[in-house]
Amino acid sequence: MHSLVSDNDLRVMSVQIDDNRLTVELMDGRAISVPLAWFPRLCSATPAQRNNWELAGGGYGIHWPDLDEDLSTEGLLKGARAPHPA
């Protein structure tokens, strides 16, 4: 019997950030890696601010309290970039 329930676990397992990329490893073993330039707040932050992240939304999101930045795994998988300031 087939189930309609997905085996994908989109919760965040770990986050790595360097000067060029944001990489998020998911509980199901996948990794999402995107250019840091997609997220201006993260791009202009100090390494200490970038590394001060916490899980949000039951593990389906990442919050940077020092930067007031929030990203979701769903948005990252869709390739959603942060909106550019007006």
Side-chain angles (χ1 to χ4, degrees):
M1 173 181 237
H2 295 285
S3 171
L4 296 177
V5 176
S6 174
D7 289 331
N8 297 337
D9 189 345
L10 302 181
R11 291 176 297 150
V12 175
M13 184 169 64
S14 68
V15 175
Q16 291 103 28
I17 306 175
D18 62 28
D19 289 337
N20 299 307
R21 302 200 73 73
L22 166 67
T23 303
V24 178
E25 292 187 34
L26 303 179
M27 292 292 218
D28 67 5
R30 289 183 285 173
I32 308 163
S33 185
V34 296
L36 196 60
W38 284 12
F39 309 102
R41 287 184 186 165
L42 290 174
C43 195
S44 64
T46 67
Q49 290 172 317
R50 291 179 192 158
N51 288 320
N52 184 27
W53 61 271
E54 55 194 36
L55 293 177
Y60 293 94
I62 310 157
H63 174 67
W64 285 267
D66 298 338
L67 306 171
D68 192 28
E69 181 74 275
D70 296 282
L71 301 177
S72 70
T73 55
E74 183 179 357
L76 289 169
L77 285 167
K78 288 180 179 180
R81 301 174 188 211
H84 291 286

